[in-house]
Every structure is written in C-alpha cells, then in structure tokens.
Amino acid sequence: MSAAPGKRQATPPAAALGVAPALAARLAKLGLNSRFDLILHLPLRYEDETRVTPIAALVDGAFAQVEGVVESAEIQYRPRRTLLVRVGDGSGTLHLRFLNFYGSQVRALVAGKRLRVAGEARSGYFGAEMIHPRTREVAAGAPLPAALTPVYPTTAGVGQAVLRKAIVAAIAAARDDNALDDTAPAIPGHDLVPFAQAVEALHFPRPGDAVGRDPAAWRRMKFDELLAQQLSLKRAYRSRRSARAPAIAAPPADAADALEARLIAALPFGLTGAQARAFAQIGRDLAGAHPMRRLLQGDVGSGKTVVAALAACRAIDRGFQAAFMAPTEILAEQHHRKLSAWLAPLGVKIAWLAGGLKKRDKDASLAAVADGTAQLAIGTHALFQDRVRFQRLGLAIVDEQHRFGVDQRLMLSRKGAAAAEAPYLPHQLMMSATPIPRTLAMTYYADLDVSVIDELPPGRTPVATRLVAEARRDEVVLRIRAACQSGRQAYWVCPLIEESESLELKTAVETHARLSAALPDLAVALVHGRMKPAEKAKVMDDFSRGIAQVLVATTVIEVGVDVPNASLMVIEHAERFGLSQLHQLRGRVGRGTHESVCILLYQTPLSEAARARLKVIYGSSDGFAIAREDLRLRGPGEFLGRQQSGAPLLRFASLEEDLDLIEAASACADAMLAADDPRVARHLERWLGAREAYLGV
C-alpha cells in the first residue's frame, strides 16, 4: 500500500521554485510547486516575434509584430473610455486600442517613442488596428528574439512575462545542476531524443518551425510522462503485494454445504462461462496472503453482482466479514434487496448502513457489524465513516468504483481489523459497468488486476434504440400508454430537476406533472436525488412491485435498478447525455423476456458532438465499442471522472494516438523495476513529486 496522500513539506514552495513567496502562491494555483513543475509546464502555442511585418502587409485575424513610431496618443471618452495610440512605420498606420489602461501606460506611449507591437491584427473603422497588444519600447536597430515566443497556460495574477522568466530561470538552474539528463534507458525501436534537447526545443523553438511543436521533442515528453505513470502504478502494485491480507481459501471441490455452492444451487439461473472464469480469478486472489485489488468489469446486465455475491460468500464461509459499498442510496438499496433475497435464506446475517437510517436502526446495524453478528454490511459512503467498526473485515466490494474519490476508497481499505500481532488490509473487489478500453486498462488501471465478463446471461432480450425528435413527443406518450396497458412498465428520464432557462431543459417535476395529466389512467411516479431516502425507497419499491406503471426520474436510476417488467425507456434531451450514461440508462430495460425499446428524445438543432454521440448509441449495443468511442470523444479526464483515480491525468500523451509509446513505457517500467534501477526515483520525482502518494489507492 502506498503512503497516505500528503503534501511535500521538505522544501518551501518559494525556495523550490526560486521565486518570491507571493509569486509562489500564485504559481501553486497552476500546480507549479517545484523547478521541474515549471520545466514541464509546456507552451500552449507560440507567437513569432523573430520578424517584423510592415503595417501595410498585416493580415486580418493573424498574429503579427510590427515596429514603428508613436504618432499620437489620446484618451477618448465615447462610446467608452479608451486609450487610442497611432503607430506608423512608413508603410501605413496601426491603431492600438486599450480599453483598460493605467496612467503609467499613458505616460509611456507618447509621440516619438519607437515601439515593437505584437498582437492580432484586425480591420477597424479607421484601418488596421490591434486591441490590447503587447508593446515594448526599443531602440532603432534593436536585435530580434532568436526563438519563437511561447504562450503558456496561466491564471489570474501570473502574466506571460512573469511566467516566462520563472521558466527560463528554472531551466537555467537545471542546466547548471546537470539535472536535465535522461532518467530512462534507451528504448529499442524508439529513437527518442535526449530529454534536455526536448526541453530546449519545446521552450525555445527555432525561428521557422512551422508550429513550434518539434515532433521528436514532443514524442520524448509523451514517453517520459507515460513512463512515470507506469512506474508509479506498477510500484504501487508491488507494494500491495508485500502487504498482509487474510488468506481466504476455496472450499473443497466436493463441499456441497459450502455457502457459495448453496447459493449457486439456489439461483434460478446458471452461471455463464464468463462469470465462472471471473469468479475463479477472484478466488485465486482471495487465497493469497496479499491484498487483492481486482476490477470486475462487464457490460450492463452481464451479472457482476452474482460474482461479487459469490466472493462475499467465500469470505463469510471462512469466518470473515464482507462489505458491499455503492455510490447512491438507490443503488445500495437495490443491492440490499437483491443480496438479501439470495443470501438471507442461506443464513447470512446482513446489516444495512445508509445516511437515511433512523438512529435506532443505525445503532443496531453498527453494533452488529462491530461484534461480528453481521457477516455482510451493505450501504453507501456511510460504510467508511469513523463510527463503523468491523470485527474481521476480509473483503470490501465497491460498485461503480469510479464514483468514489481516492480518500474514500482509502478509508474503506483501512477497515481491516487486527489479526494476530499485525494489522491486515482487506481484499478489494471493484466493479464497473463501464467497460474499460484497452489503452485505458494499460495506463490508468495498470495497478489493477482485471476480470472481464464479456457475455450476457441467456434470456436477455436485445433493446431496440429509436431516435425521435422533440416535435413527436405526443407520439412517445401514446407509446407509453400502449406499453403500460399491455401490462408493461416504462421509465422517463430527465437530465435536470429544476428549471434552467439557459439550457431550456424540461425538468423531472414538470415532466411528471405533464405525464400525469396526459395519462390519468396510469400511476406515474417521480424520483430524483433531492428526495429523502425513505421517499425514494418507497417510490422505487412501488415501481418494482408494479404499483406504479411509469417512473419519471433523473439519472439516479442510471445503474443498479432492475425491474424485469419495465420494457420502455424514454430519455429526454438525449443530446445532453454522455455515451456511457445513455448506455447505462438503456440497460435498465431488456431485463425480462419482453421486447424492449429505448427512445432517445432529442431537440434540434444538434451540435456536431451531440450528433456523433447519438449516432454511436443508435448504431451499437456493444458496451466495449461504446466505451472506446466515449473515450475518444471525451478524453480520459471526463471518461474516468476526475476523482476516480489517484493516477495523474495525462497532459501530453494521447491514449488514441500513442499506443506504441504506452506499450514501450509499460515494458520499460517493468525492466527498470526488476533491475532496481536507481533512475526510477529520479524519474518519479521529476514527473510526479508528492503526487505519487495518491497512487495505488
């Protein structure tokens, strides 16, 4: 297990950056806390100040630098207070407009001064002009810069000139300390330029470089970034394998009285081959003496919960407790209902822990967990609160793990009790209904073992997807009436609860009122995230039992809800949803034997991005293919959820374009760790610093 997250205390930020304390505080807002943070703060783009363009040759909308003499400067008061400066170079006159200016600027920009002016040229009422350009007084014949001018990502209070100065100083100090050497070995088949050369090329590109992004230098940075991620995650994986965990052995093959065997016998269905393979992989990990950290992934409806229940049974059978945590109360309640139906008849004692419990019920559950009476605890974030004490926690199961932050998962993993003289860490099984594309598994999940359920149970009916414009809304309502009158049920999902004039989205409350009026012969229920837990539980129970025929909901029903009789899903403003959400919501139907339909109700006009998403979801029901497209369209930061992993989000490398570098970095990390290469620590310090403490949680 890696160390608990924390911040470096050894060196004050101002000293580490070589700047004044006030500036260090502002740089920290950009995540710049060390010299190498500055060196790796690469430019967004470049501006060419290595040449001067005659005013007469300026191109509308293009960046340019001109040099000329101030002809006049005056403050105008209409239509608003503006400093207007006219600069001439013999070929023409350029008007400079400053809408916000200081008295010092007025005093500096006086007639007769020779200036170099850099900015975006545009056609104004009186001819060529620039709004708020950079200006610098120069002597006639002053030399031009030797390199393109970098433009860096910045924040309020940190100007480009200040940031450039700090970065140049950091690079110079690193040169003096010989600290720009390579921290990775040569990679066969990849002719990577030295790190120092890449730094120089990216921060100080030569004049004439087309875009200032030297491909060889950029490739070096991508590889080193990927290597840092691979080293950190693989090192965390190795660290966990040296930690202690309870060895939960499998029962004898012929043990018919084993809890897992009795569960399999009691289920009304058999395990698929993929479920059996996944459980066998989990079983091998549980039998080990180091903590399992395995991700169980599978498409919507593939049967992950059954596999998790079997893992819990194995832990319980060996005298350990199991915890099952879900991100929302509705999902946790669904798991509680399902697992209780499976396991309670087998004698398993189950505790329910959620924020909405009455004090008496919560205290009873806490006591049962603490004294070991409760063998399985099911709940939400309440499971890892300080008051929760397990007697002998052996397995922690986390559903939809990407919805929990690093610190939350860390708190749950620390719930292991004392075993003999030394504490142990419980095994962790994480579940995700969002399939993980291969490149993502190789990078952000490199510290995990992964089991994949890649087949659906028999009897699952395919869901037909229909795209319907908002103008045909009344036809959709009639479709709901027909489905419910034939004995089926329907969902209607809305993206917001309250009115939002800016987005013009229909609200769940408004939609519930309209549908109730349009379908007076049907029971239309409403559920959303702001309802009290008891109210949500009552609504979901009514829908599950068929008392309500239509359920209007927000995305609280995205995962876990299992009502086989529901065969129609309407997603309003589908163009506003992400691909993963659409796929998850569609998976709420098609769980019974009835033909099921998902209607994506969209509003025109569609943006290109929305059109692309709807095209993907309409044309595919393969969760893995949809996940790959989702990753391509949104990038890893949005795909994962920014709190889901301690692993740093990649700034430079692309999961779509750099597969060869990902594979090379993975192999290089394995080799460096196996050889106990002393460069590992320097490479991680260069790229991650204190952030490595968050990895492997």
Side-chain angles (χ1 to χ4, degrees):
M1 191 73 192
S2 60
K7 296 181 179 178
R8 270 179 298 181
Q9 302 294 330
T11 307
L17 288 162
V19 299
L23 177 57
R26 295 196 295 272
L27 292 175
K29 295 179 180 179
L30 289 167
L32 305 178
N33 298 298
S34 72
R35 184 169 68 186
F36 264 102
D37 285 344
L38 284 167
I39 293 171
L40 297 174
H41 192 65
L42 300 183
L44 287 169
R45 56 188 173 85
Y46 302 87
E47 294 175 345
D48 190 354
E49 296 183 359
T50 65
R51 58 180 178 169
V52 169
T53 301
I55 292 174
L58 291 175
V59 177
D60 192 20
F63 174 87
Q65 177 178 244
V66 303
E67 182 175 326
V69 177
V70 176
E71 297 175 348
S72 66
E74 61 178 319
I75 298 175
Q76 297 181 341
Y77 292 92
R78 293 186 179 182
R80 57 174 295 181
R81 187 171 179 267
T82 304
L83 174 61
L84 177 63
V85 180
R86 295 177 180 86
V87 175
D89 68 351
S91 74
T93 300
L94 176 67
H95 297 78
L96 314 182
R97 293 186 182 275
F98 299 91
L99 306 181
N100 299 296
F101 56 91
Y102 300 100
S104 58
Q105 285 178 284
V106 178
R107 292 189 293 273
L109 301 174
V110 295
K113 289 286 183 73
R114 175 171 289 275
L115 301 178
R116 280 196 186 142
V117 181
E120 182 181 310
R122 51 179 273 183
S123 297
Y125 186 76
F126 296 105
E129 68 176 17
M130 289 183 181
I131 309 296
H132 282 283
R134 292 198 304 275
T135 62
R136 183 164 60 93
E137 183 179 358
V138 295
L144 290 163
L148 300 179
T149 302
V151 179
Y152 294 100
T154 190
T155 188
V158 183
Q160 287 293 327
V162 171
L163 192 51
R164 287 190 197 107
K165 183 178 179 181
I167 290 172
V168 168
I171 294 172
R175 280 197 213 103
D176 292 343
D177 294 343
N178 295 316
L180 294 176
D181 58 324
D182 289 349
T183 48
I187 310 301
H190 295 271
D191 188 18
L192 298 174
V193 302
F195 177 76
Q197 181 180 328
V199 169
E200 298 283 343
L202 291 171
H203 285 288
F204 313 114
R206 300 182 305 269
D209 283 357
V211 293
R213 288 284 197 194
D214 183 302
W218 195 233
R219 190 166 172 80
R220 171 89 238 183
M221 289 298 183
K222 288 180 175 184
F223 174 81
D224 278 16
E225 178 185 44
L226 287 164
L227 178 60
Q229 187 188 59
Q230 292 293 308
L231 285 170
S232 58
L233 291 173
K234 289 174 185 287
R235 198 159 76 161
Y237 182 87
R238 289 183 171 212
S239 176
R240 274 198 308 277
R241 294 185 75 84
S242 66
R244 186 181 177 193
I248 303 174
D254 59 350
D257 62 337
L259 186 57
E260 63 194 69
R262 290 192 289 138
L263 173 58
I264 291 173
L267 291 172
F269 51 82
L271 297 182
T272 64
Q275 286 173 313
R277 284 194 303 273
F279 181 49
Q281 292 166 347
I282 293 166
R284 286 194 293 271
D285 286 356
L286 291 175
H290 56 265
M292 171 181 73
R293 193 161 181 263
R294 183 170 286 274
L295 174 67
L296 176 63
Q297 62 164 326
D299 210 343
V300 176
S302 60
K304 297 179 294 296
T305 306
V306 173
V307 175
L310 289 169
C313 285
R314 182 162 294 182
I316 292 167
D317 233 5
R318 289 294 179 267
F320 294 96
Q321 292 169 293
F324 199 121
M325 185 168 71
T328 67
E329 198 147 324
I330 283 182
L331 178 54
E333 173 66 40
Q334 290 285 321
H335 283 311
H336 182 234
R337 187 193 307 272
K338 183 177 289 186
L339 292 169
S340 295
W342 288 344
L343 301 179
L346 304 179
V348 175
K349 301 296 188 294
I350 300 174
W352 166 242
L353 275 170
L357 279 179
K358 294 179 180 177
K359 185 179 185 302
R360 180 183 60 190
D361 295 332
K362 183 177 290 186
D363 289 344
S365 292
L366 289 170
V369 170
D371 66 19
T373 303
Q375 299 159 296
L376 174 63
I378 303 173
T380 57
H381 306 71
L383 279 178
F384 52 69
Q385 293 176 353
D386 289 341
R387 291 182 63 196
V388 181
R389 294 284 187 272
F390 287 86
Q391 187 187 68
R392 205 172 181 221
L393 179 63
L395 173 64
I397 301 167
V398 182
D399 195 14
E400 291 299 305
Q401 56 87 30
H402 60 282
R403 296 192 177 198
F404 292 97
V406 176
D407 293 335
Q408 293 172 325
R409 293 206 305 271
L410 181 60
M411 290 169 68
L412 182 61
S413 72
R414 288 174 173 166
K415 292 293 184 181
E421 289 95 22
Y424 64 77
L425 295 174
H427 297 285
Q428 279 196 52
L429 176 64
M430 292 160 285
M431 304 197 303
S432 175
T434 301
I436 309 301
R438 177 170 173 257
T439 51
L440 208 61
M442 293 176 65
T443 50
Y444 293 90
Y445 292 97
D447 61 326
L448 294 180
D449 295 304
V450 180
S451 293
V452 179
I453 302 179
D454 53 6
E455 62 179 302
L456 294 178
R460 286 297 304 265
T461 57
V463 179
T465 303
R466 302 285 183 264
L467 295 175
V468 179
E470 166 72 19
R472 297 172 57 193
R473 184 187 185 92
D474 291 344
E475 297 176 34
V476 175
V477 174
L478 292 176
R479 181 78 176 260
I480 286 179
R481 183 195 299 275
C484 293
Q485 287 178 341
S486 67
R488 306 282 78 77
Q489 291 168 274
Y491 298 100
W492 189 297
V493 179
C494 305
L496 291 181
I497 299 171
E498 295 179 342
E499 192 71 39
S500 174
E501 293 180 1
S502 61
L503 295 179
E504 298 180 352
L505 300 180
K506 300 293 188 297
T507 66
V509 174
E510 179 189 33
T511 300
H512 174 255
R514 289 186 177 183
L515 287 178
S516 296
L519 303 169
D521 51 331
L522 300 177
V524 182
L526 171 66
V527 65
H528 56 70
R530 295 188 185 179
M531 295 169 65
K532 294 180 179 179
E535 293 174 327
K536 286 189 285 189
K538 174 67 165 58
V539 171
M540 295 306 301
D541 185 61
D542 285 350
F543 189 66
S544 297
R545 293 164 56 195
I547 296 173
Q549 288 85 41
V550 181
L551 179 64
V552 178
T554 57
T555 53
V556 293
I557 65 155
E558 180 181 339
V559 291
V561 178
D562 188 0
V563 181
N565 191 50
S567 64
L568 181 59
M569 165 68 69
V570 179
I571 304 175
E572 189 164 4
H573 281 287
E575 75 278 2
R576 300 281 184 181
F577 289 85
L579 273 174
S580 292
Q581 272 192 315
L582 290 172
H583 185 56
Q584 292 282 357
L585 289 167
R586 181 170 60 182
R588 297 310 103 209
V589 294
R591 293 173 169 260
T593 58
H594 313 290
E595 180 183 347
S596 297
V597 177
C598 176
I599 296 175
L600 304 179
L601 200 58
Y602 65 90
Q603 192 163 37
T604 56
L606 289 173
S607 68
E608 286 301 316
R611 189 181 302 276
R613 288 195 302 272
L614 293 181
K615 182 178 180 180
V616 170
I617 201 72
Y618 175 76
S620 178
S621 59
D622 182 342
F624 286 89
I626 290 169
R628 286 193 296 271
E629 281 298 302
D630 199 18
L631 177 62
R632 184 183 67 81
L633 291 171
R634 292 196 292 162
E638 297 301 324
F639 183 91
L640 289 164
R642 293 190 178 270
Q643 286 189 337
Q644 86 80 33
S645 174
L649 294 176
L650 294 171
R651 292 178 291 164
F652 310 136
S654 165
L655 299 189
E656 183 182 358
E657 299 172 0
D658 299 317
L659 178 59
D660 65 325
L661 290 180
I662 293 170
E663 292 172 338
S666 178
C668 182
D670 286 335
M672 292 179 74
L673 291 171
D676 199 19
D677 193 321
R679 289 173 291 186
V680 169
R682 287 193 58 220
H683 192 84
L684 289 171
E685 176 63 24
R686 174 180 288 180
W687 280 90
L688 297 180
R691 285 172 292 174
E692 196 196 1
Y694 282 92
L695 299 168
V697 176

